[in-house]
Amino acid sequence: TEIYTLSLHDALPIWPASSLGAPASARSLARLLWVELRHSPWPWVLPVLAALFVFDPYRTAMSYPAVWDLRASVVPNKLLPDFVAFVAGFSAWAGSRDGRRHVDDMLAATARPAWARRAIALAASMCWTLVIYLVCVVVLYVAIARQATWGGPPLWPVAVGAAALAATCALGFAAGTFFPGRFTAPLAALGAFMVSEIGRASCRERV
């Protein structure tokens, strides 16, 4: 009878070094981002946003003289205020998802840290926000280019609107993360809309 003596080092399984604390691959992050994009509530509100865009910013721009600066002014004055409430509300809803469902303790045991999951959810919200916003801007600018008699397409209103929407998305997501609840999303949407209207009123007074 042969007796084999195994040390503790031999009894333990040998794991590859790449699996211990290795950062997530780009493929897995892209897959998680795609899942977040698919489960976003943004597609359900696209018809509402399209109708709002046609009857407010687009219609207002077409009523102005065919000058680039005048018609492009609807981007910060009309398009941005119409979007901020939806952006803040949906971002807050996405940020409060884990806390609203009381699954924070369950997700704490997962391999991926909480900040990574929330960062991917925030990135998905920003992607939907900016893509819809830029599509509306492209449609508007193409229509202006067909009728404009003077000037060129100004880019500063587009950049200002994109930065404002990204900031609104981040603030709404943060509100949902730190104050999860059913009323966080509507309160965030209402607050963003009121801040936008106050900003518009102050700009009008200065002019």
Side-chain angles (χ1 to χ4, degrees):
T1 304
E2 297 181 358
I3 300 175
Y4 296 94
T5 303
L6 299 178
S7 63
L8 180 61
H9 180 270
D10 297 330
L12 292 176
I14 299 176
W15 299 97
S18 60
S19 64
L20 299 177
S25 63
R27 183 179 300 178
S28 63
L29 292 177
R31 184 168 58 249
L32 290 176
L33 180 61
W34 175 246
V35 171
E36 290 289 342
L37 291 173
R38 291 179 57 188
H39 290 83
S40 176
W42 275 106
W44 296 98
V45 79
L46 286 179
V48 177
L49 291 176
L52 188 61
F53 167 73
V54 171
F55 287 102
D56 192 18
Y58 186 85
R59 189 175 180 180
T60 303
M62 294 302 105
S63 64
Y64 290 159
V67 179
W68 271 105
D69 291 339
L70 288 176
R71 292 193 173 185
S73 64
V74 301
V75 174
N77 295 332
K78 293 288 185 179
L79 184 60
L80 181 60
D82 291 345
F83 270 57
V84 290
F86 294 95
V87 172
F90 285 158
S91 299
W93 184 262
S96 64
R97 180 178 55 193
D98 295 343
R100 193 175 61 252
R101 296 175 180 175
H102 304 288
V103 294
D104 288 332
D105 295 336
M106 297 176 59
L107 295 176
T110 58
R112 196 173 302 278
W115 67 265
R117 297 192 305 270
R118 289 169 180 167
I120 294 173
L122 176 60
S125 299
M126 284 192 177
C127 286
W128 272 112
T129 299
L130 295 178
V131 166
I132 297 174
Y133 167 74
L134 292 177
V135 168
C136 293
V137 170
V138 169
V139 172
L140 180 63
Y141 272 30
V142 168
I144 297 174
R146 293 179 177 178
Q147 302 178 5
T149 58
W150 183 82
L155 298 181
W156 69 265
V158 182
V160 170
L165 290 178
T168 303
C169 185
L171 291 175
F173 193 90
T177 301
F178 291 107
F179 306 100
R182 297 181 179 179
F183 300 102
T184 304
L187 288 176
L190 180 61
F193 179 77
M194 292 179 63
V195 170
S196 176
E197 290 298 319
I198 292 174
R200 290 175 62 186
S202 62
C203 291
R204 290 175 183 175
E205 291 178 358
R206 292 178 181 179
V207 174

